[in-house]
Amino acid sequence: MTRRLIAEFAARPADTPPPPRPVEGITAREWEVLALVGRGLSNAEIAAQLHISMATAKAHLGRLLTKLDARDRVQLVILAYELRLVTPP
């Protein structure tokens, strides 16, 4: 289901502006984590990629969910695509 949703989102025309979302107050590290979440990496993979502990990766994700008012990881993936942090395959 998630893959189909992402594929449909990625197929939207590029001139369709993304809906406005609050992105203020995101740290540089949180931007990195958001991009990695958008690429589909797990918490363990994010921790390994950024050379941080699993607890720190989870903390970054928790703060992103709060700051971006996202319900779950899927919403973070969608947002990463909307913000062009990830390019469609």
Side-chain angles (χ1 to χ4, degrees), residues 19-31:
R21 294 258 188 137
V23 292
E24 297 173 3
I26 306 299
T27 67
R29 184 58 104 182
E30 289 167 347
W31 282 113

Side-chain angles (χ1 to χ4, degrees), residues 5 21 61-62 64-79:
L5 175 65
R21 294 258 188 137
L61 282 166
L64 281 168
L65 288 167
T66 300
K67 288 180 180 182
L68 298 173
D69 194 29
R71 228 180 5 254
D72 52 28
R73 193 178 194 99
V74 173
Q75 284 191 326
L76 291 178
V77 171
I78 292 168
L79 183 57

Side-chain angles (χ1 to χ4, degrees), residues 1-8:
M1 174 78 161
T2 301
R3 286 185 181 157
R4 192 177 83 208
L5 175 65
I6 291 171
E8 287 179 21

Side-chain angles (χ1 to χ4, degrees), residues 31-87:
W31 282 113
E32 289 178 281
V33 170
L34 182 58
L36 294 174
V37 168
R39 289 180 33 209
L41 273 64
S42 68
N43 291 351
E45 292 168 327
I46 291 169
Q49 177 101 14
L50 298 178
H51 306 288
I52 58 177
S53 72
M54 186 85 131
T56 301
K58 287 180 181 181
H60 285 308
L61 282 166
R63 284 193 297 276
L64 281 168
L65 288 167
T66 300
K67 288 180 180 182
L68 298 173
D69 194 29
R71 228 180 5 254
D72 52 28
R73 193 178 194 99
V74 173
Q75 284 191 326
L76 291 178
V77 171
I78 292 168
L79 183 57
Y81 273 86
E82 287 176 350
L83 295 171
R84 310 286 192 260
L85 297 176
V86 181
T87 55

